[in-house]
Amino acid sequence: MAVIEVKNLTKEYKVNKKGKGLGGAVKNLFLREKAIVSAVKDLSFTIEKGEIVAFIGPNGAGKSTTVKMMSGILNPTKGQVLINGKDVAKKRKEVVMDLGVVFGQRTQLNWDLRLGESFELLKRIYRIPNDRYEENLRIMNDILGINEIIDIPVRQLSLGQRMRGDLVAAMLHSPSVLFLDEPTIGLDVEGKYAIRKFIKEINRVKGTTVILTTHDLGDIQELCERLIIINNGELMEDGPLREVTERIAPFKTLVVEFYDGETVEHEKAELFYHEGNIAKYRFPKADITAAQLIEELSAKKEIKDVSIEEAGIDDIIRIAYQGGNEKI
Amino acid sequence: MLSSIKHYTSVTWEYLKLSILTVFEYPANMIGWLISNPLQFIVGFATIQFVVKEFGDISGWNYGQLAFLYGLAIISHALSMIFFVQGWFMGFFVIEGDFDRYMLRPMNVLYQFCFTHFNLIGITDLIPGICVFVYGCIQVGFVFNLRNIVALLAILVGATFIRGGVYIIIGSSTFWTKSVADFGGYTQEFFDKTTMYPLSMYPESVQFILTFVIPIGWVSFYPAAELMGLSKDAFMPGVAPLISLGAGAAVFAVAAVIFYMGLKRYESAGS
Amino acid sequence: MNSIAAYFYVYKIRIQKSLAYHYDVYGNILMQCIIMFAAAFFWRALYAGETVVQGVEAEQMYIYTVISTAMSVFFMNDVEQRVMRSVEKGTIAVEMLKPINLYGIFFFEDLGKLTALLFQNLIPILLIGSIFIAVPKPASAMAFLLFIVSLIMAYLIHWLLAACFSMWAFVTINMTPLLQVKKHLIRLLSGSIIPLWFFPDWLASVLNCLPFVYIYQLPLDIYIGKASMENLILRLGIQAVWVVVLLVLFVVLQKIAVKKVMVQGG
């Protein structure tokens, strides 16, 4: 069953053009030019129940705008978002009962008071029955150890602890969809581990559908079966991690160690790294096999050692961020 | 409907509880305000005294009557500080993304904006307000009978909503301007000038505007004239407290409409 | 160290930044004009039927209202809030120990803001005030010149007072109430709302010993010509003394603050 349906979603902004320098500033005071900018262009996709989907793309690509429209904060210029069959823009109060949202950079917790007070408030805001509230807190404690920090004022929590608090706050009312905007930003290794474990567990135990935006390769590798790449407001790629890799990064890397600092070129492979005796060649899988490349390179110059690397998530992100149409 | 009322009541109590806890978290803060806020009313009170001494009665109002008027004005000012002071800082709420969060919760956005923070610091305004008012009551011989008490309550509720509505209207401009400018200082100065002196001292055009367009006259002037039985300045005698109440509802309704128009813009433009 | 260039740079940037916020500008003009009209109506009502009260003519009160509203443009700095924010964010230590003086940067930024405000607010207020309330003629050309001198010193007194107050941020977490106290003291005791002329003599002479009256009252007295030349020159001297006293106080406090920051590491 589709939990989220995004249909032809489009967002346009009017912006003022700004002049440069002091002269421009004075001019702007009297004359202002408007321009229309499309932040999101005709985006369509569906997300099934229980999926964990990563939105990636460079800053300003339209990720946040998309997530804001999906969660009802922004209204689309055209198109619509349905969550559990309800139009987000029209039935805000109903839809948000089914949504949990965490912004990595902003907390919804009350800064001055102990963490538990924020939970008590949310219990009333979402009208969570006592037994469900207790049950949810117990589950959260099993996964995140929330009881250890529940009596500490939020301002005294570390970033990792605060993020745990925010995740619990977002899940207290048992939403079926969880939006996470850069949930691991700024966290240390341990913090990231805890957050990822939480996402996996909550997805497994409660079947929560999770949509996250991130710049963190680890998040994607560990969590996501599905990747949606957005750039310039358009959907670049949508599919399982492996398929997307095949499609936009269909190459491998050959690492060669020579006996000296000199390298050789090959017409089908790109020499993109060279330091000391080590050289790295990137080659398209379709054009040449690794064995062939090694053979032809060693015919030109003696090779000491080789290893082969598959294209990884970082290649995908790099290509996506460069505009998605890089040929090797 | 009933479940909705229960829902909002329970959340309001929780917000109030959290506000009280916050005050206890920073007691020094409250003490600081307890010292500084009354000062501005001593300043205001002293100003009235100088003015009366130099210029005599103002528009026929003597010192005691002015104290009564001023006390009434401060009390509604204090109440508006407790419930609606956020209106002054709406720009900051927009910039900080608080509205994103309000939109994600299954409650009325204007309700959340007004009640998420009870500004209990406003109590430090309330105390001097009551002192000045009681002083004025003694001076003019105001009787606290049931009818007068009910009238006073109606006036204070109405006046608080008039002020709150104006704060929200001014604050809502931020949805269009995207500016974080805080016009609170100006707003207060304007209310001071228009609520602590009799409106009848101003030209008739100004009186007209402040009676019918921006009904600030109903914050303190007309109801005070009625309560003290100053027939020269009373307007709609007998029902003035009710009109204050109605004016409060009207101003706040206009404020809500403007607020939601602004919010529509926010929804279509983001922060 | 080319700190002059740095100061000039922040000055220029601040002008640009101020010009970028149109709505703040319009909003401020609108609000200040409303307050100015309210004050003018207030005095008109008080003067109803009389032309001279305490030796002050109604016309002089109107000029007083226009000029004091216009002068408020000079007193819109926010040194305290900025220091408070830096202390809250914990960046104050790094900022204080930079080779370029933090307060120097604040001062030139404020000058930049003021420069923009002269065009954005001062001129519109004077125009609107002249048309609808009273043309603010100075008492004489000499009075106008002395007024400018006094206004510059008033600006310095107000700014230094704010800078000295801002040092409290190193001691207390929330000094907003303290700033309110200062604001109300300035409001009442500087003559910005009610001129000192209407205060009882004993109070006026006490106030003459405090710095507040040298922010609004003295420049206004000079402009309107509400005292003998000797008296004005004498008070200009006292105003200059206050500038020096506050400057010394500021330098000393800043030394102490830097020492405290160095010890604590912020």
Side-chain angles (χ1 to χ4, degrees):
Chain A
M1 189 193 77
V3 175
I4 302 176
E5 288 174 75
V6 173
K7 296 179 190 166
N8 310 102
L9 199 63
T10 300
K11 183 75 207 175
E12 288 165 355
Y13 291 115
K14 278 195 201 117
V15 292
N16 294 323
K17 287 186 187 167
K18 295 236 170 186
K20 263 193 190 158
L22 203 53
V26 173
K27 204 181 117 205
N28 274 325
L29 211 50
F30 305 103
L31 276 177
R32 284 198 279 155
E33 288 177 75
K34 299 247 181 197
I36 289 184
V37 175
S38 302
V40 173
K41 299 169 201 157
D42 202 25
L43 219 55
S44 295
F45 54 86
T46 56
I47 292 172
E48 303 294 322
K49 182 169 166 46
E51 278 194 283
I52 302 182
V53 181
F55 272 40
I56 65 168
N59 291 326
K63 277 177 306 180
S64 298
T65 309
T66 308
V67 170
K68 280 188 173 181
M69 285 193 282
M70 289 169 77
S71 53
I73 295 171
L74 274 182
N75 281 345
T77 314
K78 282 190 215 110
Q80 61 175 353
V81 178
L82 302 181
I83 288 186
N84 293 323
K86 289 174 199 149
D87 190 328
V88 174
K90 290 189 183 126
K91 300 192 165 170
R92 182 184 73 79
K93 281 186 208 169
E94 275 178 56
V95 170
V96 294
M97 288 300 284
D98 253 345
L99 295 185
V101 181
V102 175
F103 298 109
Q105 322 237 36
R106 292 200 302 249
T107 182
Q108 68 161 320
L109 307 169
N110 189 320
W111 197 249
D112 300 316
L113 302 176
R114 56 181 275 279
L115 182 56
E117 305 293 354
S118 294
F119 296 162
E120 285 287 323
L121 175 67
L122 289 168
K123 179 186 166 191
R124 285 168 179 78
I125 287 178
Y126 287 97
R127 296 199 250 191
I128 308 168
N130 258 328
D131 48 346
R132 188 142 62 93
Y133 177 76
E134 297 295 333
E135 160 88 8
N136 276 343
L137 270 187
R138 194 183 52 72
I139 297 174
M140 305 292 170
N141 185 43
D142 290 347
I143 310 174
L144 285 175
I146 204 74
N147 285 356
E148 292 164 22
I149 53 173
I150 204 161
D151 286 324
I152 302 174
V154 173
R155 62 174 187 282
Q156 290 171 13
L157 296 178
S158 72
L159 186 59
Q161 289 172 326
R162 203 209 76 202
M163 187 51 70
R164 277 150 69 188
D166 259 309
L167 282 173
V168 173
M171 287 304 298
L172 274 178
H173 58 290
S174 317
S176 62
V177 177
L178 180 61
F179 286 103
L180 303 169
D181 191 18
E182 308 207 15
T184 55
I185 196 163
L187 297 184
D188 58 15
V189 179
E190 206 183 328
K192 284 182 181 172
Y193 171 78
I195 303 303
R196 288 173 192 158
K197 184 179 136 207
F198 172 84
I199 297 170
K200 273 191 273 191
E201 278 297 298
I202 214 80
N203 174 259
R204 191 179 61 80
V205 176
K206 308 193 98 182
T208 311
T209 309
V210 182
I211 292 101
L212 63 129
T213 71
T214 185
H215 290 294
D216 191 298
L217 310 177
D219 289 349
I220 301 168
Q221 243 150 0
E222 282 192 38
L223 295 171
C224 302
E225 299 108 43
R226 183 176 166 194
L227 211 55
I228 290 180
I229 302 178
I230 295 177
N231 200 4
N232 298 320
E234 287 173 281
L235 192 83
M236 304 290 306
E237 290 292 336
D238 177 1
L241 184 54
R242 185 183 296 271
E243 264 178 41
V244 172
T245 317
E246 280 296 306
R247 207 156 44 228
I248 74 167
F251 50 71
K252 292 184 182 186
T253 299
L254 179 70
V255 183
V256 180
E257 188 182 353
F258 294 111
Y259 283 100
D260 57 40
E262 282 185 34
T263 60
V264 288
E265 301 278 331
H266 189 281
E267 73 273 13
K268 284 178 178 164
E270 181 204 2
L271 176 68
F272 69 95
Y273 175 88
H274 176 214
E275 173 106 33
N277 295 355
I278 307 285
K280 292 184 179 179
Y281 296 88
R282 191 179 289 136
F283 63 98
K285 286 189 261 188
D287 289 5
I288 189 169
T289 65
Q292 245 179 324
L293 183 62
I294 296 168
E295 198 184 312
E296 289 177 25
L297 282 175
S298 62
K300 293 183 187 176
K301 187 175 164 68
E302 205 182 347
I303 290 174
K304 185 181 175 192
D305 196 9
V306 293
S307 62
I308 297 166
E309 290 168 1
E310 294 285 333
I313 190 84
D314 47 345
D315 290 300
I316 293 176
I317 290 182
R318 183 175 50 79
I319 292 170
Y321 286 19
Q322 281 165 3
N325 40 20
E326 178 185 290
K327 296 278 179 271
I328 303 193
Chain B
M1 182 66 190
L2 192 68
S3 92
S4 191
I5 291 172
K6 261 171 79 181
H7 180 204
Y8 279 85
T9 318
S10 84
V11 174
T12 308
W13 272 115
E14 192 66 22
Y15 279 138
L16 185 62
K17 195 187 103 189
L18 296 188
S19 303
I20 295 170
L21 285 175
T22 309
V23 169
F24 282 111
E25 200 72 21
Y26 305 102
N29 195 8
M30 187 63 144
I31 293 168
W33 285 105
L34 205 55
I35 296 165
S36 80
N37 258 345
L39 189 69
Q40 64 174 305
F41 302 110
I42 296 171
V43 168
F45 209 41
T47 309
I48 292 178
Q49 205 161 17
F50 288 137
V51 166
V52 172
K53 195 172 145 282
E54 293 303 329
F55 294 88
D57 289 359
I58 300 177
S59 195
W61 291 45
N62 65 33
Y63 184 54
Q65 289 162 335
L66 288 169
F68 184 90
L69 176 73
Y70 187 42
L72 196 61
I74 306 172
I75 294 175
S76 68
H77 164 78
L79 293 173
S80 76
M81 286 294 101
I82 293 174
F83 295 107
F84 300 119
V85 73
Q86 302 81 276
W88 290 8
F89 310 110
M90 212 183 277
F92 290 100
F93 283 75
V94 169
I95 296 289
E96 294 291 315
D98 286 48
F99 278 95
D100 285 2
R101 188 49 72 182
Y102 297 153
M103 311 269 285
L104 290 171
R105 290 177 172 172
M107 299 188 88
N108 179 300
V109 178
L110 181 56
Y111 163 83
Q112 291 186 65
F113 175 69
C114 292
F115 289 94
T116 300
H117 309 274
F118 283 96
N119 170 33
L120 296 180
I121 301 291
I123 293 172
T124 59
D125 289 331
L126 199 56
I127 295 166
I130 292 173
C131 294
V132 173
F133 184 66
V134 168
Y135 174 81
C137 288
I138 296 168
Q139 292 286 310
V140 301
F142 181 72
V143 195
F144 280 91
N145 57 28
L146 186 65
R147 189 184 172 278
N148 279 346
I149 289 172
V150 172
L152 258 183
L153 286 178
I155 291 161
L156 288 176
V157 171
T160 306
F161 275 98
I162 293 174
R163 287 178 188 265
V166 172
Y167 302 165
I168 287 169
I169 291 170
I170 294 174
S172 295
S173 69
T174 191
F175 288 121
W176 282 270
T177 64
K178 307 265 164 62
S179 140
V180 289
D182 149 26
F183 295 122
Y186 294 128
T187 313
Q188 196 187 337
E189 193 148 343
F190 180 65
F191 270 104
D192 277 357
K193 282 264 178 340
T194 47
T195 59
M196 63 190 262
Y197 299 103
L199 212 56
S200 48
M201 67 187 259
Y202 291 114
E204 273 177 13
S205 55
V206 175
Q207 285 186 46
F208 179 84
I209 292 173
L210 295 182
T211 305
F212 298 107
V213 185
I214 318 167
I216 290 176
W218 300 97
V219 169
S220 61
F221 172 65
Y222 292 121
E226 157 122 4
L227 289 180
M228 292 186 290
L230 298 173
S231 53
K232 175 177 83 74
D233 286 322
F235 186 51
M236 310 284 286
V239 290
L242 280 180
I243 294 185
S244 289
L245 201 58
V251 173
F252 206 78
V254 170
V257 168
I258 293 175
F259 176 85
Y260 277 106
M261 273 162 56
L263 197 64
K264 267 265 143 50
R265 254 186 92 86
Y266 178 80
E267 284 172 29
S268 57
S271 51
Chain C
M1 170 96 306
N2 196 350
S3 54
I4 301 295
Y7 288 143
F8 184 68
Y9 177 75
V10 295
Y11 170 74
K12 221 178 72 184
I13 289 295
R14 194 65 181 84
I15 298 179
Q16 264 179 38
K17 225 174 109 188
S18 297
L19 289 176
Y21 293 104
H22 328 268
Y23 293 111
D24 293 16
V25 174
Y26 303 143
N28 265 319
I29 294 174
L30 181 72
M31 290 292 190
Q32 281 175 311
C33 284
I34 290 176
I35 302 298
M36 178 166 70
F37 282 116
F41 283 135
F42 176 70
W43 290 113
R44 199 172 90 171
L46 291 188
Y47 269 93
E50 290 171 77
T51 44
V52 182
V53 176
Q54 283 275 330
V56 186
E57 294 165 24
E59 182 68 14
Q60 288 179 320
M61 261 342 287
Y62 297 146
I63 295 178
Y64 191 100
T65 303
V66 174
I67 295 296
S68 78
T69 309
M71 277 173 69
S72 69
V73 168
F74 286 77
F75 307 122
M76 302 214 292
N77 61 49
D78 56 351
V79 189
E80 294 112 324
Q81 276 88 346
R82 277 188 288 181
V83 174
M84 211 157 75
R85 252 175 272 147
S86 288
V87 171
E88 264 169 29
K89 276 193 295 181
T91 54
I92 189 76
V94 184
E95 288 169 16
M96 288 284 280
L97 301 178
K98 273 184 191 165
I100 295 194
N101 187 302
L102 180 67
Y103 282 92
I105 289 182
F106 286 163
F107 183 72
F108 280 89
E109 278 191 350
D110 281 338
L111 279 187
K113 186 176 161 192
L114 176 62
T115 308
L117 284 175
L118 290 185
F119 295 98
Q120 292 173 321
N121 278 23
L122 186 80
I123 292 175
I125 288 172
L126 283 178
L127 273 178
I128 294 168
S130 307
I131 296 169
F132 295 103
I133 299 172
V135 180
K137 298 183 300 288
S140 64
M142 183 62 187
F144 186 74
L145 281 178
L146 285 180
F147 167 76
I148 297 294
V149 173
S150 182
L151 182 59
I152 292 170
M153 287 202 281
Y155 181 79
L156 292 174
I157 288 178
H158 185 265
W159 197 88
L160 287 168
L161 211 56
C164 291
F165 255 82
S166 74
M167 307 283 177
W168 273 104
F170 299 101
V171 189
T172 55
I173 301 169
N174 187 344
M175 57 173 209
T176 320
L178 202 67
L179 296 182
Q180 290 291 318
V181 173
K182 181 186 144 227
K183 193 181 99 186
H184 297 310
L185 283 178
I186 291 182
R187 249 163 68 101
L188 180 71
L189 304 182
S190 69
S192 70
I193 299 175
I194 307 276
L196 243 60
W197 313 325
F198 299 118
F199 286 20
D201 286 340
W202 63 269
L203 186 56
S205 30
V206 171
L207 290 182
N208 273 323
C209 303
L210 296 174
F212 306 111
V213 289
Y214 302 98
I215 296 173
Y216 276 99
Q217 188 69 52
L218 176 62
L220 283 162
D221 279 0
I222 295 175
Y223 195 92
I224 292 169
K226 187 75 183 57
S228 67
M229 201 42 105
E230 293 128 53
N231 174 292
L232 291 178
I233 300 284
L234 175 73
R235 284 160 70 203
L236 266 176
I238 302 176
Q239 191 185 25
V241 171
W242 270 114
V243 174
V244 175
V245 168
L246 286 169
L247 187 63
V248 171
L249 184 66
F250 163 70
V251 171
V252 172
L253 285 175
Q254 200 193 8
K255 282 231 168 73
I256 296 171
V258 169
K259 222 176 260 169
K260 195 171 146 75
V261 166
M262 295 253 266
V263 172
Q264 293 179 337

